[in-house]
Amino acid sequence: MRARTEKLYQKVVNAITAAIEQGRYKTGSRLPGERELAEEFAVSRPTIREAMIALEIRGLVEARHGSGLYVTVPPRRTAEPAELDIGAFELLEARILFEGETAALAATAIDDAGLAALDRVLAEMAGCDPGGAEAMAADRQFHLLIAEATGNTAIGMIVETLWNLRDHSRLSAHMFAEARREGVNPRVEEHRLIVDALRSRDSATARAAMRSHLKRVVDDLLEATEVEAMRRTRSELEERRGVLNRRLDA
C-alpha cells in the first residue's frame, strides 16, 4: 500500500520511464514535445515541465540546445528519490498559504527592532547584484525575519523548512535555477510593500502583499520555464519544416 498519493508529475515520469523500458522511446530518440505530452497525459504543461526536469535529474534524458529532450540510457528501476518529491509550484502553493498568514500575524506583533532589521535587509537587497548569491540570501533572510517577528517558534520552523526545501529538493532547486538563468530575481519593491503593511500594523494588507508577491513568483517561474519550452517548440517546428522542404524538393 502506498504511503501517500502519487503526484501528477510522478505519474508522467513513471509512464515515460516505462515507455523507455518497453522500447517505445529508444536510447538516442527525441521525446515528443511538451504540448503533445500534456495532451497525451491530460495534465497541465507546468506538470509536464516538472516531469521533464525530474527525468533530466535522474539522467534518463538530456536537453540538447535548440533541439529538445533525448533519451540517454535505459532506466534502472529504483525507489522514487525523496529529493525529487517537491516541485517548485507545489512548494510555492504551500508558501502562499503559510507565509500569507505569517505576515498577517507578524503585523500584530512586530516591534521597531524587527522593522529596522527588515529595512536593513531591503537595503542589502537593493544594493547587490539582483541575480547574485547575496540577493538570494537577503531574500531568504527577509522572509525568515517576518516569521521570527510573529514570536511563534513553530511558525518560524515551518517557514524555514519551506525555504530549506526550496534549496535542497533537487527538482525545486533546478526549476528556480532555471528561472534565475532567465533573469527572474527578487523584486525589492514587492518586499517593500510588505514592510509598509507591517509598519502600519495592518494584518489584512500584510497578508495580501505577501500573497501577491508569492503569486508573482509563480508567474515568473511559469514564464521562465515557458521560455525553454518555446525554444524546444521552435526547434521542433524548424525540424518539421526541414522535413517538409526536403520532401517537396525531392
Side-chain angles (χ1 to χ4, degrees), residues 2-245:
R2 297 186 65 87
R4 54 190 170 183
T5 303
E6 188 177 45
K7 296 177 176 63
L8 285 177
Y9 91 85
Q10 292 173 327
K11 292 180 180 179
V12 175
V13 168
N14 291 335
I16 292 178
T17 298
I20 295 172
E21 289 177 333
Q22 295 161 9
R24 177 181 171 191
Y25 303 125
K26 300 184 182 300
T27 300
S29 65
R30 183 164 60 84
L31 291 182
E34 181 182 281
R35 187 182 301 278
E36 185 178 343
L37 288 172
E39 292 176 354
E40 177 181 345
F41 291 104
V43 298
S44 68
R45 295 179 74 180
T47 296
I48 293 297
R49 292 174 210 167
E50 287 190 333
M52 295 302 101
I53 290 170
L55 287 168
E56 285 187 77
I57 292 173
R58 291 188 184 185
L60 298 182
V61 301
E62 64 178 2
R64 297 180 185 173
H65 183 67
S67 183
L69 287 172
Y70 288 77
V71 178
T72 54
V73 294
R76 290 179 298 175
R77 279 290 181 181
T78 59
E80 175 73 10
E83 66 270 21
L84 294 181
D85 200 39
I86 305 295
F89 297 114
E90 183 179 17
L91 178 59
L92 282 166
E93 183 179 43
R95 287 187 59 200
I96 290 170
L97 173 65
F98 285 106
E99 293 199 50
E101 295 309 310
T102 297
L105 181 58
T108 70
I110 196 166
D111 56 20
D112 290 342
L115 289 168
L118 287 171
D119 287 336
R120 286 193 295 273
V121 173
L122 276 179
E124 292 174 11
M125 199 181 298
C128 61
D129 176 9
E134 291 182 359
M136 300 301 112
D139 188 19
R140 175 189 173 95
Q141 185 181 8
F142 178 89
H143 289 267
L144 295 185
L145 281 172
I146 293 175
E148 182 181 332
T150 66
N152 186 308
T153 303
I155 290 175
M157 291 175 64
I158 290 171
V159 172
E160 184 172 13
T161 296
L162 291 174
W163 274 85
N164 288 340
L165 284 171
R166 166 179 162 149
D167 296 331
H168 297 156
S169 165
R170 291 175 63 195
L171 178 57
S172 179
H174 188 105
M175 296 184 75
F176 277 107
E178 178 65 29
R180 286 194 293 275
R181 282 192 292 271
E182 297 298 335
V184 175
N185 301 308
R187 288 187 174 91
V188 177
E189 191 54 41
E190 290 179 11
H191 291 78
R192 186 170 287 117
L193 290 174
I194 298 170
V195 175
D196 289 344
L198 294 173
R199 182 169 280 113
S200 299
R201 307 308 200 270
D202 186 336
S203 291
T205 302
R207 178 190 294 111
M210 179 64 79
R211 289 174 63 89
S212 176
H213 161 58
L214 292 175
K215 287 178 180 178
R216 181 66 65 85
V217 176
V218 172
D219 291 340
D220 286 344
L221 197 62
L222 283 169
E223 184 175 348
T225 52
E226 180 70 14
V227 168
E228 179 60 26
M230 289 174 64
R231 288 193 188 116
R232 291 172 182 169
T233 299
R234 284 197 297 269
S235 173
E236 291 167 9
L237 290 173
E238 288 298 326
E239 183 175 332
R240 291 173 187 170
R241 184 178 294 114
V243 170
L244 179 59
N245 288 336

